Amino acid sequence: MCGIVGYVGPRKVVPIVLEGLKRLEYRGYDSAGIVYLKDGKLVKYRCEGKLANLEEMMEEVDDGGSRIGLGHTRWATHGPPSEANAHPHSDCSGDLVVVHNGIIENFHTLRESLTAKGHIFTSQTDTEVLAHLIEEHLRDDLAQAVAEAVKEVEGSFALGVMWSRQPDRLIAARSQSPLVLGVKEKGGCFMASDIPALLPYTRQVIFLEDREMAVLKNDSLQVFNLDDGQPVEKEIQTIDWNVGMAEKAGYRHFMLKEIFEQPQAILNTFRGRLDPETGIVRLPEIKLSSEELRGVSRISLVACGTSWHAALVAKYWLEKWVGIPVEVDIASEFRYRRLLLGPDVIVIPISQSGETADTLAGLRLAKDLGAKVISICNVVGSTITRESHGTIYTHAGPEIGVASTKAFTSQLTALFLLTLFLGQVRETIPAEKSRELGKALVELPALIEEELPRLQEEMIPICNEFGRSRDFLYLGRGANFPIALEGALKLKEISYIHAEGYAAGELKHGPIALIDRDMPVLALVPGDGVYKKVISNVQEVKARHGRIILVGSRGDDALAEIADFAIYLPIIHEELNPILYTIPLQLLSYQIANMRGCDVDQPRNLAKSVTVE
Ligand code: F6R
């Protein structure tokens, strides 16, 4: 995600900001910028691409030894990476600047009303509305203007704000996006979106909580509640992490961190698109009219690897709730078969990176044949998004671990939103059902958050028992069959154990020959319509002395009797089981790979973005 660094104090600000941003590079970004105060004016430099470009630019610059400023690395969410979209963003006068992490959900409405009041916008970002909104509220105190402005904002933010007329201070504010402050006994205050940026300068930090803001000066730091303006007493904490630990927020690997980030990633993907009360979904980014959507006769999903698994789940959802035929292709197959596509077909390439060569080739063929192309992607401005007619972005943030985790569950979230949306437009989902399904999705992030620590613990004995196995079988049925495929893929790619996913009903058509004591079998058995069928398949394994791990519904005591290990998950709306049931499988793969001493974040032979055929 984006990175923020700010400093006010006795030292020169430019080197501090550049070094801080460098320490946030691991988070991923596609443009960078800096602002500092010189001779009473704000001076701003921004550029697309790597931080090295900004550093090179700054080598030529006389910053006048400025002692106050802000910096930002942007990972695009609204508007592609470009100099104009890079932070800091200014108000109309250029006397006020903002750097921002997070997503302003009501930015369209705010932008329209600010434009009507005469504000001139120069970027496509959601962030720029903040600069103009604060300008609108600004009288003689910046902190007060920030507090008033953010009351109008829906969404998440971590903010750094600076105004040339109050040149002694920086304002920091947060709501649902992290921001940490640093202090030094001999003077000087820092702000950063993440601890590594502070470590070269101080280990004394204050964590801002949601709905708090801070006024940072050379010799003082005050924190206030954003809503009632009351001062808040904060505790200074001493950080004893090294830089590597800090980058991973204390997690041992990025993959584990990203598994734990899933509640936030899922929430970010549906927030602003799904009305929590009615379940009504808005996806204007699809750029197709209701009439066009009603005229679609078929959907074709195209993807590779984990993204292909997301597509397989979506087929179950779309056919059930929208009643539209859906075909799913592995992109490398799609591109070499005869495609029967036309203007009445929507082709949906799904790609976390937006650069996968086969998926891109499939997209181009589909376009040539006149199909409508709506991609699902996590990287703004990537090739696949540029070439699609519309894109539904997942808002998972950058994924650093090569094995996809939070990008996958965010893809599922986006595909579930698409299902609701199409069902609503085509009137195949009654209002009451929309409400029920929407509510289930809204409740999911908190529920996953609650389960994660326990699930991680529960993987330890299973890993001790089966972590040295040579092979693994994963079984699922219905929309959980693709999750069995995904569980097997996760295990093989990071632990190098041979693993296969099967539709449980296929067991007796071949793979049952493999069953013996050395072949652990993991089966997904939520209490859904195919529960009894999968249990029968599992009994067939048991009868052949296979060893069994079952993942099922809390309260289903039969599972513990049948299995060597039973992993229990809360009962949620059946449709969302594929998202929930993915989590323990990710954790199990992680635990096993870690125990086997594998390079979890960078497994051998794999690349994060597969740009060749
Ligand atoms: C596995 C994994 C890969 C990708 C595949 C497609 O964990 O990440 O299987 O899913 O290479 O990549 P994207 O989604 O970037 O098109």
Side-chain angles (χ1 to χ4, degrees):
M1 272 301 191
C2 310
I4 291 177
V5 181
Y7 173 72
V8 50
R11 296 175 60 174
K12 291 185 185 165
V13 69
V14 171
I16 289 179
V17 167
L18 290 177
E19 179 60 29
L21 292 179
K22 216 184 282 178
R23 296 195 177 236
L24 298 180
E25 276 193 297
Y26 71 93
R27 293 161 65 99
Y29 66 100
D30 38 45
S31 57
I34 188 168
V35 63
Y36 55 85
L37 191 82
K38 186 185 172 195
D39 303 330
K41 296 236 171 301
L42 296 178
V43 185
K44 180 168 97 170
Y45 290 93
R46 304 178 296 176
C47 59
E48 195 185 329
K50 288 292 154 197
L51 202 53
N53 301 345
L54 185 66
E55 286 178 310
E56 205 179 303
M57 207 181 240
M58 296 309 292
E59 275 170 19
E60 310 293 320
V61 166
D62 170 17
D63 60 30
S66 175
R67 261 74 174 159
I68 179 167
L70 294 164
H72 191 266
T73 43
R74 171 175 188 254
W75 194 77
T77 60
H78 293 72
S82 66
E83 188 190 332
N85 286 336
H87 302 210
H89 288 287
S90 306
D91 67 345
C92 297
S93 69
D95 293 336
L96 180 148
V97 282
V98 175
V99 291
H100 163 232
N101 288 359
I103 297 173
I104 307 300
E105 286 164 13
N106 57 339
F107 94 101
H108 273 300
T109 330
L110 290 172
R111 190 171 166 133
E112 273 171 23
S113 80
L114 288 161
T115 305
K117 286 179 185 158
H119 290 262
I120 310 287
F121 284 81
T122 56
S123 80
Q124 296 158 281
T125 64
D126 53 338
T127 299
E128 198 186 349
V129 300
L130 290 169
H132 294 280
L133 193 60
I134 298 168
E135 179 184 24
E136 193 62 29
H137 287 276
L138 197 52
R139 303 290 170 265
D140 52 12
D141 185 56
L142 180 59
Q144 199 179 339
V146 171
E148 284 168 14
V150 297
K151 289 201 174 89
E152 294 181 41
V153 165
E154 289 165 23
S156 58
F157 56 80
L159 291 183
V161 193
M162 213 175 143
W163 186 34
S164 59
R165 312 252 188 95
Q166 279 183 320
D168 61 339
R169 69 197 63 186
L170 298 173
I171 307 298
R174 104 159 239 187
S175 184
Q176 298 173 49
S177 184
L179 201 56
V180 57
L181 312 176
V183 287
K184 265 191 114 56
E185 269 168 31
K186 291 184 186 153
C189 288
F190 304 79
M191 74 169 86
S193 48
D194 216 346
I195 291 169
L198 303 179
L199 290 184
Y201 310 107
T202 183
R203 285 174 184 266
Q204 306 293 105
V205 304
I206 293 170
F207 291 97
L208 268 196
E209 299 299 333
D210 276 345
R211 311 298 302 170
E212 285 181 350
M213 69 181 281
V215 180
L216 289 74
K217 298 185 191 172
N218 172 30
D219 51 4
S220 72
L221 192 158
Q222 290 169 299
V223 178
F224 300 91
N225 181 297
L226 260 177
D227 299 314
D228 61 16
Q230 290 302 308
V232 183
E233 281 297 316
K234 300 291 287 187
E235 195 190 332
I236 297 183
Q237 300 187 28
T238 305
I239 295 293
D240 55 7
W241 296 350
N242 62 35
V243 174
M245 284 163 77
E247 284 182 352
K248 293 170 193 142
Y251 291 99
R252 187 152 179 209
H253 295 98
F254 282 112
M255 181 180 173
L256 188 61
K257 175 171 172 272
E258 287 157 4
I259 290 173
F260 274 77
E261 280 171 351
Q262 288 178 110
Q264 191 65 49
I266 293 167
L267 181 71
N268 285 345
T269 300
F270 71 68
R271 200 160 47 182
R273 290 167 165 162
L274 171 74
D275 183 322
E277 302 301 322
T278 61
I280 298 288
V281 173
R282 285 190 184 81
L283 290 173
E285 54 270 57
I286 282 185
K287 296 181 193 152
L288 293 175
S289 66
S290 302
E291 205 180 358
E292 283 174 300
L293 289 169
R294 280 195 281 267
V296 170
S297 68
R298 192 161 33 106
I299 292 179
S300 168
L301 302 167
V302 186
C304 301
T306 286
S307 299
W308 175 63
H309 297 154
L312 290 171
V313 174
K315 177 180 166 72
Y316 287 89
W317 284 337
L318 287 162
E319 290 189 339
K320 176 170 178 184
W321 294 105
V322 190
I324 195 167
V326 177
E327 50 188 38
V328 180
D329 275 86
I330 293 172
S332 54
E333 293 297 318
F334 182 81
R335 65 184 292 189
Y336 292 115
R337 73 175 172 87
R338 181 173 171 209
L339 298 173
L340 304 175
L341 304 173
D344 58 332
V345 181
I346 298 186
V347 172
I348 306 186
I350 307 173
S351 172
Q352 162 273 132
S353 63
E355 301 295 346
T356 302
D358 285 319
T359 312
L360 182 59
L363 177 161
R364 288 176 177 158
L365 288 170
K367 262 174 91 179
D368 287 349
L369 290 166
K372 301 178 175 76
V373 178
I374 310 297
S375 55
I376 294 192
C377 189
N378 199 39
V379 180
V380 174
S382 55
T383 314
I384 285 178
T385 68
R386 287 201 309 273
E387 297 198 16
S388 300
H389 298 120
T391 299
I392 305 170
Y393 283 109
T394 49
H395 291 302
E399 197 175 57
I400 296 172
V402 166
S404 190
T405 52
K406 63 175 181 171
F408 175 64
T409 45
S410 300
Q411 286 171 344
L412 290 178
T413 307
L415 287 159
F416 191 71
L417 288 178
L418 179 67
T419 305
L420 289 180
F421 176 71
L422 291 177
Q424 288 159 6
V425 173
R426 292 167 66 107
E427 295 173 16
T428 54
I429 304 183
E432 191 43 48
K433 211 23 119 182
S434 281
R435 197 169 299 130
E436 178 189 314
L437 293 167
K439 182 167 172 281
L441 184 58
V442 168
E443 286 169 359
L444 190 60
L447 199 132
I448 294 177
E449 179 121 42
E450 201 178 313
E451 296 294 319
L452 270 163
R454 175 188 65 79
L455 284 170
Q456 191 187 6
E457 284 293 305
E458 277 188 29
M459 295 308 140
I460 297 168
I462 306 177
C463 169
N464 291 340
E465 184 70 18
F466 298 119
R468 295 279 161 214
S469 302
R470 274 190 44 199
D471 309 279
F472 244 93
L473 214 53
Y474 286 72
L475 303 178
R477 260 181 121 131
N480 293 306
F481 157 49
I483 303 309
L485 295 177
E486 173 60 9
L489 179 66
K490 236 34 356 146
L491 186 68
K492 70 181 105 167
E493 61 186 342
I494 63 169
S495 73
Y496 317 137
I497 293 176
H498 167 240
E500 298 291 342
Y502 269 97
E506 272 290 289
L507 193 66
K508 56 170 83 66
H509 299 287
I512 200 164
L514 296 168
I515 303 296
D516 63 15
R517 283 196 58 74
D518 297 326
M519 170 71 91
V521 177
L522 184 150
L524 303 172
V525 280
D528 56 14
V530 285
Y531 170 80
K532 284 192 183 146
K533 307 271 176 205
V534 187
I535 290 291
S536 304
N537 301 138
V538 169
Q539 294 289 10
E540 291 157 12
V541 173
K542 198 170 165 74
R544 285 155 185 87
H545 309 293
R547 291 194 299 156
I548 298 162
I549 306 161
L550 292 180
V551 188
S553 308
R554 190 162 290 153
D556 184 354
D557 298 334
L559 303 187
E561 282 167 33
I562 304 169
D564 296 74
F565 290 92
I567 301 167
Y568 286 109
L569 292 171
I571 298 170
I572 59 166
H573 199 296
E574 179 180 329
E575 294 304 327
L576 292 173
N577 279 335
I579 302 181
L580 180 65
Y581 277 62
T582 299
I583 313 280
L585 308 196
Q586 295 169 338
L587 285 166
L588 181 62
S589 305
Y590 171 79
Q591 193 70 37
I592 292 178
N594 197 17
M595 185 265 259
R596 290 165 71 106
C598 300
D599 186 347
V600 172
D601 284 332
Q602 288 181 324
R604 69 185 182 208
N605 308 337
L606 294 179
K608 189 72 187 153
S609 176
V610 185
T611 52
V612 290
E613 194 177 339

